[in-house]
Amino acid sequence: MNDLQQEYVQWLDRLSSDLRSQGYASVLNKEFVEQDATIVINRLLPEFAYLMYIEVESYKKYFIADYSGRNTVMKLIDRSIDHKKTARIRALENSRLTDHLTFEEEINRLKSLQHLLEQSDFE
């Protein structure tokens, strides 16, 4: 096994360990895309009864394995929403209407992600 393959296996082991202990695992990497997530899910599904992948930001992505992980990720999304709301207010104060609308769209997208998580059944 070459170094790259060994790194990937070690990363998968850490991801799996996080999922078992916390119910979720984060991927903080812009280059990680949904196609990569599908490969990871296929590799880890024998170990987990249910596994979900969501992208909160281009650099914040999560795998969720159970209700505990779901609840944690929902709180993390709440924080992102709070940051977007603060940025939206600043944009309004500085009369940057297009920025305000962009933040509003992002807040709505994050809220829809939360709704998706609320509807998810981890059994």
Side-chain angles (χ1 to χ4, degrees):
M1 198 181 321
N2 67 33
D3 289 343
L4 190 58
Q5 289 172 324
Q6 191 170 355
E7 273 185 49
Y8 178 72
V9 169
Q10 289 172 344
W11 178 78
L12 268 180
D13 288 344
R14 282 192 308 273
L15 189 76
S16 176
S17 174
D18 287 349
L19 286 167
R20 280 192 306 280
S21 64
Q22 303 173 134
Y24 82 101
S26 60
V27 178
L28 306 175
N29 181 345
K30 277 188 171 187
E31 286 78 37
F32 192 85
V33 294
E34 196 161 335
Q35 186 177 13
D36 299 327
T38 301
I39 293 167
V40 169
I41 287 173
N42 288 334
R43 292 282 304 269
L44 294 180
L45 244 135
E47 188 176 343
F48 298 95
Y50 186 87
L51 200 54
M52 179 182 211
Y53 170 79
I54 64 166
E55 182 176 318
V56 175
E57 308 271 348
S58 63
Y59 57 91
K60 283 189 212 171
K61 299 146 187 176
Y62 300 99
F63 287 96
I64 305 167
D66 60 27
Y67 286 110
S68 172
R70 179 198 71 176
N71 294 339
T72 302
V73 171
M74 286 181 63
K75 288 176 187 174
L76 293 169
I77 292 172
D78 273 337
R79 279 194 213 154
S80 289
I81 289 171
D82 289 342
H83 291 294
K84 300 289 181 195
K85 285 179 178 178
T86 301
R88 179 185 63 188
I89 290 169
R90 280 194 214 116
L92 278 174
E93 288 171 348
N94 295 325
S95 300
R96 293 189 318 249
L97 187 57
T98 55
D99 289 346
H100 162 73
L101 295 175
T102 302
F103 288 120
E104 190 67 36
E105 290 171 4
E106 187 61 15
I107 290 167
N108 290 334
R109 187 186 71 78
L110 292 171
K111 286 181 178 180
S112 70
L113 271 178
Q114 281 185 316
H115 181 72
L116 172 73
L117 288 175
E118 288 170 351
Q119 303 303 314
S120 297
D121 187 12
F122 288 89
E123 298 177 312

